[in-house]
Amino acid sequence: MTEDDSTMAAAAPASQLVHGQPAPSIVAHGGDLSGLRAAPGAYAGDWLDLSTGINPFPWPLPDLPAEAWTRLPGADGMAALLDAARQAYGVPAAAGIVAAPGTQAIIQLLPFLFPTSRIAILGPTYAEHAHVWRQAGHDVREIDGVPGSLKDIDVLLTVNPNNPDGRALGLPLLHRWHAELSSRGGWLILDEAFADVAPEVSLCAQAGTPGLVILRSFGKFFGLAGLRLGFMLAPAEMTGTVSVAQGPWAVSGPALEIGAAALKDAAWQAQMRDELRMRSRRFDQGMRERGIHVLGGTALFRLAKVSDAAGFAQALRGQGIHVRIFEKQPQWMRFGLPVDEAEFWRRLDLVLQDFRL
């Protein structure tokens, strides 16, 4: 696509996707212990699954009315959820917003809302983004760090704060990128999956302006990933496209009820941010005391560097600790925060008796 192409990165009308259908994922993820438990000689006790960035201290689930389970989700429930999300994220009233069964569902659809484009993705980051855009036929460029120029870019996508290193881009830079891209019909896509713990980096106050798409995850910060709930903020025509593509009842009745209630619970959110920040600082201190270098992360996960991450991860599995490693970064390993800190340190110390960092 060239800059004088009159269709550059224009969103599809609400009645259709631009082309194709989403392809299945082949990207490896954390959070699944079934294979580890079934392996010969596997740890036989309770596992510490630290392989995700999901809050291990979930928002307390309420008793739900029976109708949430027995009736089809209603328009009033969806309206209440979207209103709660607007308030919690600071989304302008005129911005488009759509809920989905997890932001992954939106990530799968996003590439099909655009004509074939030159997309730059700031990495290393969540691998599903590059995968789905490539599968949809776009020209994908993965950039390590921050691009020096946006001249040859139609769509710029970044996770902010980033997964797995916690890199956070400031608002002035994001505003500058958005202004440059939108001035020529381009788009800035922000995946703010972890912005609940760092609201100061969010661009939600500008949601709905041309050339800007924002994704917000519910399950990570609220610790309810199994609920499957996420949001897309964008110009109304684009969110309308996603709503049509999802079809009716995309979000379950229990997700409508729980999502709305949790998003309104500002006191819990403020207290949890403080708790997670304290625990992440304590985690870093404990790692430093054991000679393990922490590169960064967010208050929901920490990224460490060791000489042989795969070997260390294997040794940790021997003590029932599951962490995330990265094929393209063989010295990186990501730790979620443990619920039982004392038990985590006890097991880690047993590993370190035999494993040489």
Side-chain angles (χ1 to χ4, degrees):
M1 181 183 298
T2 61
E3 290 190 19
D4 62 354
D5 187 338
S6 62
T7 63
M8 183 197 313
S15 60
Q16 64 183 19
L17 297 179
V18 171
H19 55 90
Q21 293 295 327
S25 175
I26 56 172
V27 177
H29 298 285
D32 190 349
L33 293 172
S34 56
L36 297 179
R37 287 172 172 153
Y43 185 80
D46 292 332
W47 281 73
L48 303 179
D49 185 5
L50 309 183
S51 66
T52 74
I54 298 166
N55 186 355
F57 307 99
W59 184 76
L61 290 172
D63 292 328
L64 296 181
E67 290 79 6
W69 301 98
T70 61
R71 294 180 60 84
L72 288 171
D76 55 346
M78 177 59 77
L81 172 67
L82 296 182
D83 182 65
R86 284 187 189 276
Q87 295 299 316
Y89 300 142
V91 180
I97 180 170
V98 61
T103 48
Q104 182 60 42
I106 301 172
I107 288 170
Q108 298 284 132
L109 286 174
L110 261 180
F112 301 93
L113 303 178
F114 297 85
T116 303
S117 305
R118 299 166 300 184
I119 175 170
I121 299 175
L122 305 194
T125 194
Y126 183 54
E128 287 284 357
H129 286 299
H131 171 67
V132 298
W133 284 83
R134 283 198 179 98
Q135 290 294 309
H138 295 272
D139 178 8
V140 178
R141 184 191 324 165
E142 295 183 75
I143 299 174
D144 187 3
V146 176
S149 169
L150 305 184
K151 180 180 178 182
D152 298 321
I153 297 171
D154 304 317
V155 180
L156 178 64
L157 188 154
T158 183
V159 180
N160 197 44
N162 191 46
N163 170 23
D165 60 4
R167 176 191 62 217
L169 302 174
L171 296 184
L173 178 61
L174 296 177
H175 283 302
R176 187 166 76 247
W177 283 347
H178 175 224
E180 179 179 344
L181 289 163
S182 62
S183 70
R184 51 183 170 83
W187 291 79
L188 174 64
I189 300 176
L190 300 176
D191 182 346
E192 295 188 354
F194 297 98
D196 294 86
V197 295
E200 67 277 3
V201 307
S202 174
L203 217 60
C204 281
Q206 280 68 52
T209 56
L212 179 63
V213 175
I214 301 174
L215 307 181
R216 295 294 299 230
S217 171
F218 174 84
K220 293 178 177 63
F221 175 65
F222 288 95
L224 300 171
L227 193 69
R228 308 309 303 135
L229 180 61
F231 302 91
M232 172 180 166
L233 319 173
E237 185 178 27
M238 182 175 280
T239 56
T241 301
V242 172
S243 182
V244 170
Q246 290 188 128
W249 316 301
V251 178
S252 71
L256 295 179
E257 293 274 350
I258 292 170
L263 287 164
K264 291 177 183 177
D265 194 347
W268 181 91
Q269 294 171 47
Q271 181 180 4
M272 183 51 62
R273 287 189 189 99
D274 290 341
E275 175 73 16
L276 292 171
R277 288 166 183 158
M278 178 187 67
R279 285 179 173 268
S280 64
R281 288 194 296 268
R282 202 155 60 212
F283 183 91
D284 289 359
Q285 179 62 31
M287 296 294 267
R288 284 193 295 268
E289 291 171 353
R290 290 161 174 83
I292 300 174
H293 179 51
V294 176
L295 295 173
T298 72
L300 284 169
F301 59 82
R302 310 305 294 160
L303 183 69
K305 180 180 180 180
V306 297
S307 58
D308 178 13
F312 193 30
Q314 179 65 34
L316 290 171
R317 287 194 288 271
Q319 288 295 330
I321 300 174
H322 182 31
V323 300
R324 186 79 165 85
I325 58 175
F326 305 90
E327 182 179 352
K328 293 183 179 180
Q329 291 86 25
Q331 294 183 322
W332 285 11
M333 55 196 326
R334 193 190 65 195
F335 292 78
L337 298 182
V339 175
D340 188 338
E341 294 177 337
E343 177 63 11
F344 168 70
W345 296 122
R346 184 189 72 81
R347 297 193 197 184
L348 179 60
D349 288 339
L350 288 174
V351 173
L352 292 175
Q353 289 177 9
D354 299 317
F355 189 89
R356 192 170 181 180
L357 293 172

